Amino acid sequence: MEQLAGKIDPARIRGAQGRHLRAALVPLAPAVIFLLVVFVFPIAAIFYYAVDTGDARAAFPRTRLAIASWSGADLPDAQAYQALVEDLRGAFVSRAIYPAARELNNRMPGFRSIVISAGRQAQAWPPESGREALLAVDPVWGSVDHWRAISSAVAPFTAYRLLAALDLRPQWNGLPVAAPVDQRIYVRYLGRTLWICAVVTVYCLVLGYPLAYLIATTSPSVARWLLTLTLLPFWTSILVRTAAWVVILQQQGVVNGSLQWAGLIEQPLTLIYNRVGVYVVMTHVLLPFMVLPIYSVMKGIPANLLPAAASLGARPIAAFVQVYLPQSQPGIAAGCLMTFILALGYYVTPALVGGATDQMESGLIAHFALNEGNWGMAASLAVILVLVVLLAYALYARFSRGKALQWA
Amino acid sequence: MNRLLHSSSALTLLAIAAVVGSSGAEARDFTVASWGGGLQEAQRQAFIKPFETKYSVKTTEDVYLGGWAKFQTMAETKQVVWDIVNVESAEMARGCEEGVFAKIDYAKLGTPKSDFTPGGADECGIGAYTFAFVVAYNEDLTKVAPKTMLDFWDTQKWPGRRGLRKGAHYNLEFALLSDGVPAADVYKVLNTKDGVARAFRKLSTIKSQVIWWEAPAQVADLLASGNVVMSIAPNARISDARKAGKNLGMVFQPGMIGIDYWVMLAGTPFPTQAYDFLKVVSDPKQQERFTAAFAYAPTNRKTEALLDAKAVALLPIGTKVSGALLTSSVEANRFWADHGDEINAEWNNWLAK
């Protein structure tokens, strides 16, 4: 041994490792490029959309320059007004006024129609028109708050939407302040989403752990059957499964019909279009994601550990809690993480089987993107969700590496 | 071994580049989008299939469930994925103003504006049909049939869940009408903050009982399966379900009617085919086939002569809808184009509470 030790050259080992790494890069390159294109770039784009102000900046270039040094304390000077009229005139013709007006409307409700109508009327105004012409159209053009909204909308980037996604509004002095009470909904949505996901994760754990234990410890033929049955839902479309649940849970559906026939209830239970429906269907859909990681970890736990603990005097429950459960903790952590993160992204299921107060954050994102075309707001809410996912992952990292290593 | 790895990864890169590069230059078929279900089926038989045969244009269909977002994305990305769409009047007006929908040359179309019913021929849209929103109910679950649309709000006499279309459009009007605002003043009242608050207050009285449907094709199922006892629904969807044997009834009064339009996307790569399609949908013979299959009133005056009495009896015209609120008037379109965005934001707030 001593002789061999003298002949081992650390530099040669490092060189060999480097060659292995370089050789691995080549087949890895397509996967890396694929990940960049379909994962990293889109997420970076979402972060960009959340703070981008392209619409208003494109429509009001002269105004942007004119108010670059504006203090915001009082109304801007005549030059800024003339620049604004020029911009409105041009933006109306180029149609850039519409997305810009929507952006301004987000900050000052009602501003959209005023901006568009000013743009329309500005076509007929003489050149050099400014403050008087605008004030004649609508008095809001003399409001400092509206000018501040314009200034914020033409800035290089804006935190307005990110703050709005947390029910905050920016102030001119930079400090955010809570939104008016009747406009506070996003934090509630977030809280509700996190709660539903947490509850579904717990239900999946309670149902999935025993199932995984059963599959891991019975005879191979039975285990094969159980595993197939657990995976069977993957082979049907999620929409088909959700629609099937509607049939089962509805007022005159299978569950209510059987209970009424057995005489257990008189009036049908409301099992759908409410929170019960959401929990049931989401648990059903996410169960395999909990079972499989736990099962794969349990498969690696030696089968002789529990008998060994019994032979040392531990009663069955104590043996399970002190020996088996900690060993399966990495699987629990992985299963919970996967279930929680997947549940965060579900919006079709709550939309189909839930009520109005069961809609989740991702449903709001889909609504803004697909129904309203407000990609900025959708992106801001998505950024919040990404941060929540990162937080969940950090918790997972903390809980899965700590104890498992003690037994390694 | 290395050579195999190098060449296989080079091929993979090439494949990815090819996929990414080709997605920009795809040639697509002429596409028509409508509301799905029985309506689209009737339009397929009456308009789309005859158009395909007569002009030999391969046509793809798509489903559109309302809202402005799809058209905004098309305008911003300059990627026009639809050529002809069946839109509601508010979207038609907004698209016309923003230049997203093309102005229609009635001389090129071959049918003069005077051939159409009032409101049936617009600058950027050709009237597809006149519909009515009714309160439909499940006849098996309601011992006493409701007499007017206002019975929708009476949860004492008719306990059970209600169905409403998801979204502020049409629901705010319905709420104000039910709150006693005369049809002529509905949009004037809606134009004030108090008016909107009043509409939301009325809706809050039954909010906990409501199931919100998004696709009109869902309503008949919700009613027939007993998930809702009463629902706002487009009249022809209910007539269609009755034809299929479902026991659904409907009440028309006080009435909300509207006109939906066929519009042509301004950047369509198929301008000639689009005009040919518009010719087909304004043809009285084709409109008769559509109306016979789906109980919406036609927009070409000459169609009425071709209809038989049975079909006419189901249409939302005449005394059935006298005094009804016209939800596709110029006033209505102006209101939704100007205030749609902020009212939708308020709607989301209200719905989430």
Side-chain angles (χ1 to χ4, degrees), chain A residues 23 26-27 29-30 33-34 37 55 92 95 98-99 102 105 108-113 116 120 181-186 188-189 192 246 250-252 270 272-274 351-352 355-357 359 364 367-375, chain B residues 2 5-6 8-10 12-13 16 20 66-70 72-73 76 94 96-100 103 141 161 166 207 210-212 214 218 221-222 225-228 334 336-339 341-342 344-345 347-353:
Chain A
V26 169
I33 293 179
F34 181 75
V37 167
D55 293 336
F92 187 82
R95 303 217 139 93
Y98 295 105
R102 163 199 280 270
N105 201 49
M108 304 295 293
F111 209 2
R112 178 181 184 271
S113 40
I116 294 178
R120 190 181 299 124
V181 180
D182 59 332
Q183 288 177 27
R184 282 183 219 165
I185 44 161
Y186 298 115
R188 185 181 317 149
Y189 254 97
R192 178 198 304 162
V246 174
Q250 64 186 357
Q251 289 283 78
Q252 322 226 342
T270 325
I272 201 166
Y273 303 121
N274 59 9
L352 289 175
T357 49
Q359 303 314 304
L364 206 54
H367 171 78
F368 275 118
L370 302 175
N371 292 19
E372 290 196 27
N374 192 343
W375 295 90
Chain B
N2 263 345
L5 286 171
H6 278 280
S8 68
S9 43
T12 321
L13 285 170
I16 295 175
V20 170
W68 181 246
K70 189 88 185 182
Q72 177 168 310
T73 314
E76 283 174 5
R94 183 166 177 177
C96 206
E97 183 183 43
E98 299 195 13
V100 177
K103 294 212 195 326
L141 294 177
R161 281 164 145 178
K166 194 171 192 184
K207 186 177 171 207
V210 175
I211 293 182
W212 303 96
E214 292 198 49
Q218 277 178 279
D221 281 332
L222 281 175
S225 63
N227 282 315
V228 298
R334 179 88 266 141
W336 285 108
D338 283 345
H339 301 289
D341 286 344
E342 65 223 39
N344 279 330
W347 175 267
N348 288 336
N349 285 10
W350 175 80
L351 200 61
K353 294 212 167 87

Side-chain angles (χ1 to χ4, degrees), chain B residues 262-325:
Chain B
W262 290 109
V263 294
M264 182 169 98
L265 273 289
T268 170
F270 299 99
T272 1
Q273 292 89 330
Y275 262 101
D276 291 335
F277 187 83
L278 291 178
K279 284 192 192 121
V280 173
V281 298
S282 20
D283 185 344
K285 273 198 296 294
Q286 305 309 125
Q287 285 202 0
E288 185 272 328
R289 280 183 65 183
F290 171 70
T291 307
F294 211 68
Y296 281 155
T299 51
N300 189 321
R301 286 184 209 267
K302 298 197 175 126
T303 320
E304 295 171 36
L306 302 171
L307 292 167
D308 68 11
K310 222 168 37 128
V312 174
L314 296 172
L315 296 185
I317 51 173
T319 46
K320 232 186 288 179
V321 292
S322 62
L325 172 71

Side-chain angles (χ1 to χ4, degrees), chain B residues 9-27:
Chain B
S9 43
L11 276 174
T12 321
L13 285 170
L14 216 65
I16 295 175
V19 166
V20 170
S22 70
S23 59
E26 241 171 65

Side-chain angles (χ1 to χ4, degrees), chain B residues 32 36 47 54 56 78 85 107-108 124 177 184 293 300 339 342:
Chain B
V32 175
F47 303 125
K54 181 166 179 192
S56 315
K78 308 244 189 312
V85 191
K108 193 166 166 191
C124 296
L177 271 181
N300 189 321
H339 301 289
E342 65 223 39

